[in-house]
Amino acid sequence: MNYGLLFGAIAFWLAAWATNEWLVRQKLRNLAANRAVRLAVPLLFGVSILVLWEGLVRGFHVPSVLLPPPSMIWTRLINSVPILWADFQQTFLKAVIIGYTLGCSLGFLIAIAIDRSPFLQKGLLPLGNFVSALPVIGVAPIMVMWFGFDWQSKVAVVVIMTFFPMLVNTVSGLAAASSMERDLMHTYAASWFQTLVKLRLPAAWPFIFNALKINSTLALIGAIVAEFFGTPIVGMGFRISTEVGRMNVDMVWAEIAVAAVAGSVFYGIVALIERAVTFWHPSVRNSRTA
């Protein structure tokens, strides 16, 4: 046991924790300084977790097969950039982006149709509940049989996973406008389409973006899991399942790191678009003035 590394890592983690506690208690009037603090807190926390991870693994001499240290994962990541990039293209740029776009668009359009037609509301919503209950482990092999081993079958899985959250949230959002607001639009002789564009869709944007943020993570999970059941010799899920069998755990963690960063950036982009579109919403106004 290496006590120096162990105690050093624990000391750094405690110091970072104390620093973060001090930072979050500061009441800064300067907006730029406040944003810098809000960015520094999660960064410092993440670095402290990595240092603690490194110290505990090396201090207790944990076998790399069980848990490699972050430095080993970083080395593998740097030395495997072409492989990781090819896997990222196959899984994220093809399966996730295309499936996410199709699933969210389909859920949004069908939600508007359901809102327009009471018959569809009673017929399609129960069907949507049924689709949402389908386990991805059961759906993925069927999609591979239907659409082949390439990225098209993963797109189908992502569409199934992202369709229902968008459908339900959009239907709920379209019902968010109050009856008084709808009556006001009626007194202006506004058509159904004008009421939808001017009143109901703006009121539904927070619900719609909530679904978009949820689906940004579900899409990546669905694509990676689907690749476990059949894929060409490329892709994040393929690489993870293959390298686990070869005991190359550092490569597995490198793929996990790439997936985590990609998913976080994807979620962040959607959140930034939400702030720009729903700038009028109280939650956005309060976060900007805090």
Side-chain angles (χ1 to χ4, degrees):
M1 183 180 296
N2 192 327
Y3 290 102
L5 283 174
L6 187 61
F7 290 127
I10 294 175
F12 181 88
W13 181 75
L14 292 174
W17 186 285
T19 303
N20 273 340
E21 284 287 343
W22 178 79
L23 286 174
V24 297
R25 296 177 189 276
Q26 301 304 305
K27 303 297 182 181
L28 302 175
R29 297 180 180 272
N30 187 279
L31 183 60
N34 192 27
R35 289 179 177 176
V37 167
R38 286 191 295 178
L39 180 63
V41 169
L43 286 177
L44 183 58
F45 181 77
V47 171
S48 67
I49 292 296
L50 292 177
V51 172
L52 183 64
W53 178 357
E54 182 84 20
L56 291 177
V57 169
R58 294 194 179 276
F60 287 110
H61 299 294
V62 178
S64 59
V65 174
L66 298 179
L67 183 63
S71 59
M72 185 177 179
I73 298 171
W74 175 255
T75 301
R76 169 65 75 169
L77 196 151
I78 295 300
N79 294 331
S80 305
V81 170
I83 296 175
L84 295 171
W85 173 244
D87 293 340
F88 176 79
Q89 286 181 303
Q90 176 73 14
T91 302
F92 194 86
L93 298 183
K94 293 181 179 178
V96 173
I97 296 298
I98 297 175
Y100 177 86
T101 303
L102 291 176
C104 292
S105 301
L106 186 62
F108 176 78
L109 294 176
I110 292 181
I112 293 178
I114 287 175
D115 180 79
R116 181 65 170 166
S117 171
F119 168 74
L120 293 178
Q121 186 172 6
K122 295 182 182 297
L124 284 181
L125 277 182
L127 182 61
N129 283 318
F130 172 76
V131 172
S132 69
L134 295 176
V136 62
I137 296 178
V139 172
I142 298 175
M143 295 299 104
V144 170
M145 292 175 61
W146 286 0
F147 298 100
F149 288 92
D150 211 345
W151 56 269
Q152 292 86 348
S153 57
K154 287 67 185 177
V155 168
V157 173
V158 173
V159 169
I160 293 174
M161 293 194 67
T162 57
F163 168 78
F164 184 71
M166 176 57 72
L167 175 68
V168 172
N169 279 274
T170 304
V171 169
S172 300
L174 291 174
S178 66
S179 58
M180 184 178 297
E181 293 169 330
R182 297 185 190 185
D183 290 341
L184 179 62
M185 295 295 293
H186 183 69
T187 61
Y188 291 155
S191 65
W192 175 86
F193 182 77
Q194 289 174 326
T195 303
L196 176 69
V197 174
K198 299 294 185 179
L199 172 64
R200 304 185 67 201
L201 273 181
W205 280 129
F207 295 84
I208 295 172
F209 276 103
N210 184 48
L212 290 173
K213 289 187 290 187
I214 293 172
N215 286 341
S216 66
T217 57
L218 286 179
L220 185 57
I221 294 172
I224 292 176
V225 173
E227 288 181 344
F228 289 169
F229 297 93
T231 184
I233 53 172
V234 65
M236 293 182 178
F238 165 80
R239 197 72 55 194
I240 290 172
S241 61
T242 301
E243 298 301 331
V244 163
R246 297 174 178 174
M247 294 298 180
N248 294 329
V249 185
D250 54 343
M251 187 62 180
V252 174
W253 278 97
E255 289 283 358
I256 293 173
V258 172
V261 171
S264 299
V265 172
F266 193 16
Y267 183 95
I269 291 173
V270 176
L272 288 175
I273 297 173
E274 178 187 20
R275 289 175 65 88
V277 174
T278 62
F279 60 90
W280 50 268
H281 197 264
S283 63
V284 177
R285 295 202 309 265
N286 294 337
S287 65
R288 285 178 175 175
T289 57

